[in-house]
Amino acid sequence: MADPSFARQGDNLTKDTESDLEQVTVRRMQETALASKAKVELEFSKSWIDAQPSAAGGEEWRCLAEALYFEARGETVKGQFAVAEVILNRVESDRFPASACGVIHQGTGKKYQCQFTYTCDGHKEVIGEPRAFERVSKVARAALDGDAPALTEGATHYHTTAVKPRWSKVYTKTAAIGDHIFYRHTWQTAGK
């Protein structure tokens, strides 16, 4: 005997069946969400980052991990997350390329005219500290996964405390973390 819940009228499901299927779909979506990765309780410490599983990913992860290695490996873990946040804030901005690799390599090719100095300083990028790279790769993974809280109030720029670039006078300072100072652009559209 056929199950009446799957009865069809022509090519359409009955209203009762559509409602049942919708409820099942919603329930399965909720179960999937509950079963998905639990929110990480992130700590900004070397011991916490060292305890995390080895990180892996595609090209975006690799670009972000390398940028963190060359730009922030000597920073605190919190400082590394802040630098990652700036890169990802740029990815979200219409004013920069729409990928981490695009943001990181923007302007590369002209000596000292790039966004991230290590990509255009004329020195070969060599990862000589495997443990430091392992740490920043975990930071990159957590940042890309959205596990880190916001630290920089939407910053799209930063510099070390050792320099004072001209642009730092016109952008809004949002945070100082470790050896970096963070800024948000002050661009306005024609409508503002």
Side-chain angles (χ1 to χ4, degrees):
M1 184 166 175
D3 184 344
S5 66
F6 291 100
R8 293 184 178 262
Q9 292 179 350
D11 286 333
N12 296 323
L13 296 173
T14 65
K15 285 210 182 270
D16 289 340
T17 304
E18 286 178 16
S19 177
D20 289 344
L21 288 174
E22 190 173 306
Q23 288 175 3
V24 168
T25 301
V26 169
R27 185 173 35 97
R28 285 186 181 158
M29 289 171 63
Q30 290 169 339
E31 288 170 357
T32 302
L34 293 173
S36 68
K37 189 174 103 174
K39 185 72 175 161
V40 173
E41 289 297 323
L42 193 138
E43 293 177 26
F44 297 118
S45 69
K46 284 185 179 179
S47 61
W48 181 86
I49 206 77
D50 288 345
Q52 300 310 300
S54 293
E59 185 179 5
E60 292 294 285
W61 165 77
R62 180 70 183 190
C63 286
L64 185 56
E66 287 178 357
L68 293 176
Y69 178 83
F70 292 111
E71 292 282 314
R73 74 178 173 272
E75 261 295 352
T76 63
V77 172
K78 186 175 185 178
Q80 291 169 352
F81 272 102
V83 170
E85 182 180 322
V86 167
I87 293 167
L88 296 178
N89 285 345
R90 285 184 177 201
V91 170
E92 293 300 315
S93 171
D94 292 338
R95 298 193 173 268
F96 297 96
S99 70
C101 293
V103 163
I104 292 160
H105 295 288
Q106 185 179 19
T108 299
K110 295 182 179 179
K111 194 165 186 175
Y112 299 117
Q113 293 185 15
C114 54
Q115 298 294 310
F116 296 88
T117 306
Y118 83 92
T119 68
C120 66
D121 62 4
H123 300 289
K124 186 175 180 180
E125 287 79 46
V126 177
I127 295 172
E129 299 174 41
R131 186 164 173 90
F133 184 75
E134 182 182 351
R135 279 188 180 131
V136 297
S137 70
K138 292 175 182 182
V139 170
R141 181 76 272 149
L144 286 167
D145 290 346
D147 292 336
L151 299 169
T152 68
E153 296 181 38
T156 53
H157 294 73
Y158 68 89
H159 65 80
T160 69
T161 55
V163 299
K164 188 156 177 88
R166 284 190 311 246
W167 55 259
S168 68
K169 295 175 186 163
V170 295
Y171 290 175
T172 302
K173 181 179 173 183
T174 63
I177 300 171
D179 291 331
H180 288 97
I181 301 172
F182 298 85
Y183 299 84
R184 183 175 49 244
H185 65 76
T186 53
W187 299 307
Q188 294 185 355
T189 62
K192 290 185 179 182

